[in-house]
Amino acid sequence: MNFRRTHREEVSVNLTPLIDVVFLLLIFFMVSTTFTRETQLKLDLPESASGDPVENRTLEQIEVLISAAGEVMINGKALINPGLDTLQTALQRESGGDKALPVVITADAKTPHQSVITVMDAAGQQGFSRLRLTTNALEAQGQ
């Protein structure tokens, strides 16, 4: 008996076309995906039909006062540098990590608009979503 060995052909799968298709799909999804970065602040403005001041101040909140010169006080503590980083650190410290606290911003009528926006931006970047702006009621001016 003469047994011959049969030569086996090595079976292999060519992965080059599969890799090409995967890279094409990757490029397609990278090009067709849009990356949008939206930043929004929700303002919870108080409503008053009669113009009476709000009397319920028993709730815990963070009060930010801005003077006409742009000086900032948070809960009665003056900030030396009213920059964005300082505001964020002070808001984090005063909140104790509670992002649900309302932030009440009281600004002088002559305050630069940039000072108010900087405070709002610092609060928004720290995760505060309940911002309130306060105003004084207009009084009739006698002549």
Side-chain angles (χ1 to χ4, degrees), residues 37-135:
R37 185 176 180 186
E38 297 179 13
T39 56
Q40 296 178 351
L41 291 177
K42 269 187 159 178
L43 297 180
D44 186 17
L45 298 176
E47 297 177 6
S48 176
S50 63
D52 293 335
V54 177
E55 295 297 329
N56 187 5
R57 297 197 180 229
T58 59
L59 298 175
E60 190 176 349
Q61 61 189 11
I62 299 173
E63 293 182 333
V64 180
L65 302 174
I66 308 171
S67 70
E71 300 163 337
V72 178
M73 293 180 67
I74 297 181
N75 285 346
K77 299 172 188 169
L79 297 180
I80 296 171
N81 176 18
L84 186 62
D85 293 334
T86 308
L87 285 167
Q88 288 178 344
T89 305
L91 287 171
Q92 179 68 27
R93 183 181 63 240
E94 290 297 320
S95 69
D98 186 8
K99 306 295 184 200
L101 289 176
V103 177
V104 180
I105 301 172
T106 305
D108 188 270
K110 306 265 189 232
T111 300
H113 188 65
Q114 183 61 51
S115 298
V116 177
I117 295 299
T118 303
V119 171
M120 292 172 68
D121 191 28
Q125 288 182 9
Q126 287 296 313
F128 293 98
S129 61
R130 297 177 61 197
L131 298 180
R132 295 182 180 152
L133 299 174
T134 58
T135 60

Side-chain angles (χ1 to χ4, degrees), residues 16-34:
T16 305
L18 180 65
I19 293 172
D20 289 344
V21 169
V22 169
F23 280 126
L24 285 173
L25 285 173
L26 178 67
I27 291 171
F28 172 76
F29 286 121
M30 285 175 51
V31 170
S32 64
T33 304
T34 58

